[in-house]
Each structure stands twice: as C-alpha cells, then as structure tokens.
C-alpha cells in the first residue's frame, strides 16, 4: 500500500522542499503533502522547484498510460511491521501518491489496479543503502553537481571531500562535498543565492 511507505529523510536526492518533508515526517498524509507541494510549486519563483513537481506530474501521466516499469525499492522500518522507507524510487512513489489522491487506476498487465498499490522490492536491513541510492540517482540524466556532491558526502561520509572531489562525472569535477551539500540543501529549501 502506497500510504505505508515514506521517503528516506537521508536520501541524497531530496525531491520535496524541506518544510514539506518536515510536515510529512510529523504525520501529515502523503496526499495532503502532494497537494501542498502543488501549491508551493505553482507559487515558487525558483524554476527547479517548479521542475521537480512537474517531473512528478509528467511521470504520473506516463505511469497512468503505461504502468510502472521499474519497481521501487523499500526497506521495512525497524520496529514497525508493515511500514517501509523508500530506498530508491521516490519520484515514482510520489507519482503514485498523486494518482491515488485523484482516484486513478494503473495498467498492470491485462488489468487495472488502484494507484494505492505500488510494486516494491523489499531490501534487507544490511544492504548498502547509500550505494544503491547513489547508483540509481547517478544514472539519471538531470542530476546536478550539487546533488552529486551531496550523494557522495552521504556515501563517503562528511569531511571526505578530498576523496569525493577526486571523482569525475560527465567531465566535470565534483567539488568539496560538505560545502556543496550545504548549498544543495539551501537551494532545495528555496533560498537563493546561497
């Protein structure tokens, strides 16, 4: 059930603006948060805030037409049977939340299923979560240098900017990971300039 799943607050690539993520972590329903996100994106003067929400809408339209191609990966929350945290696939999950909020069904083979049902693979507790998240996010074409730096900081640990900064992506050098991570968080919160 899509409503028993929540985004990982430690995921390097955060989609939600932090104030909406806080509301979600304090118990606001995903359906309420997606509505608030739509309003936030509509009123935002920062283009990438609009683009993030628009990417969820675009993916939800694709999923409504074609179904879910790749399952999301989740991990059961320790001590909470039946509650899951997203490992990979947050944008797909938000697309399902959006479709569920408006009562849509999703093609699944030769039948339709409610958008409340999302295909998910459960990852064991000892799996290398940061590595899985980094691998999935680095395969996306629109990952910014700031998001890459934040992911590397999560993967290698804070203060290991020398090691993270020596890696190359798309012919550009990722700079000091902890500093880039601070900038990335400020940007995702809608603060400009940093």
């Amino acid at each position: 059930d899509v409503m028993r799943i929540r985004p990982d607050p430690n995921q390097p690539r955060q989609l939600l603006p932090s104030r909406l993520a806080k509301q979600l972590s304090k118990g606001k329903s995903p359906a309420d948060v997606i509505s608030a996100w739509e309003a936030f994106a509509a009123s935002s003067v920062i283009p990438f805030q609009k683009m993030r929400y628009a990417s969820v809408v675009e993916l939800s339209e694709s999923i409504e037409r074609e179904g879910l191609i790749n399952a999301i990966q989740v991990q059961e929350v320790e001590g909470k049977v039946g509650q899951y945290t997203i490992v990979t696939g947050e944008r797909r999950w938000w697309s399902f939340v959006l479709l569920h909020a408006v009562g849509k069904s999703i093609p699944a083979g030769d039948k339709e299923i409610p958008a409340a049902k999302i295909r998910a693979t459960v990852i064991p507790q000892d799996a290398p979560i940061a590595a899985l998240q980094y691998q999935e996010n680095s395969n996306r074409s629109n990952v910014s240098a700031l998001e890459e730096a934040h992911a590397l900081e999560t993967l290698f640990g804070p203060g290991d900017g020398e090691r993270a900064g020596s890696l190359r992506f798309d012919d550009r050098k990722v700079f000091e990971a902890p500093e880039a991570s601070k900038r990335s968080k400020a940007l995702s919160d809608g603060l400009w300039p940093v």
Side-chain angles (χ1 to χ4, degrees):
D1 180 356
V2 75
M3 295 302 160
R4 295 186 310 158
I5 301 170
R6 294 293 183 272
D8 179 359
N10 300 314
Q11 158 64 283
R13 185 181 171 108
Q14 294 291 316
L15 284 175
L16 274 181
S18 64
R19 68 177 166 184
L20 294 176
K22 247 182 230 177
Q23 291 175 9
L24 186 65
S25 72
K26 290 183 178 181
K28 193 167 188 178
S29 80
D32 289 340
V33 170
I34 197 93
S35 295
W37 191 9
E38 178 182 24
F40 177 79
S43 67
S44 179
V45 295
I46 301 171
F48 80 85
Q49 290 293 2
K50 292 179 182 293
M51 290 173 17
R52 281 183 177 174
Y53 181 76
S55 75
V56 169
V57 172
E58 183 180 326
L59 181 58
S60 69
E61 291 167 352
S62 172
I63 289 171
E64 185 181 5
R65 281 189 317 273
E66 309 294 328
L68 181 64
I69 309 270
N70 295 314
I72 67 170
Q73 294 179 322
V74 297
Q75 193 171 60
E76 191 165 33
V77 176
E78 285 190 54
K80 294 186 177 181
V81 175
Q83 297 293 312
Y84 299 90
T85 300
I86 298 168
V87 173
T88 64
E90 183 176 348
R91 197 167 65 101
R92 284 170 272 165
W93 178 77
W94 278 114
S95 295
F96 267 76
V97 169
L98 178 60
L99 291 166
H100 175 63
V102 294
K104 298 288 183 168
S105 294
I106 310 300
D110 59 353
K111 60 184 176 186
E112 296 264 323
I113 60 169
K117 304 290 182 196
I118 188 169
R119 193 165 31 107
T121 302
V122 178
I123 303 298
Q125 293 294 331
D126 62 348
I129 300 304
L132 290 169
Q133 291 172 337
Y134 178 72
Q135 179 182 21
E136 170 135 333
N137 289 334
S138 66
N139 286 330
R140 297 200 33 156
S141 61
N142 61 348
V143 177
S144 72
L146 292 173
E147 289 171 321
E148 287 180 34
H150 181 71
L152 290 169
E153 178 185 18
T154 301
L155 189 58
F156 294 127
D160 201 358
E162 181 179 318
R163 189 166 149 207
S166 67
L167 298 174
R168 297 183 66 78
F169 298 91
D170 301 328
D171 296 325
R172 66 187 187 275
K173 193 168 183 170
V174 177
F175 44 90
E176 187 74 24
E179 183 61 30
S181 177
K182 288 179 204 162
R183 288 187 183 135
S184 181
K185 174 149 178 29
L187 289 172
S188 72
D189 289 346
L191 305 174
W192 193 274
V194 181

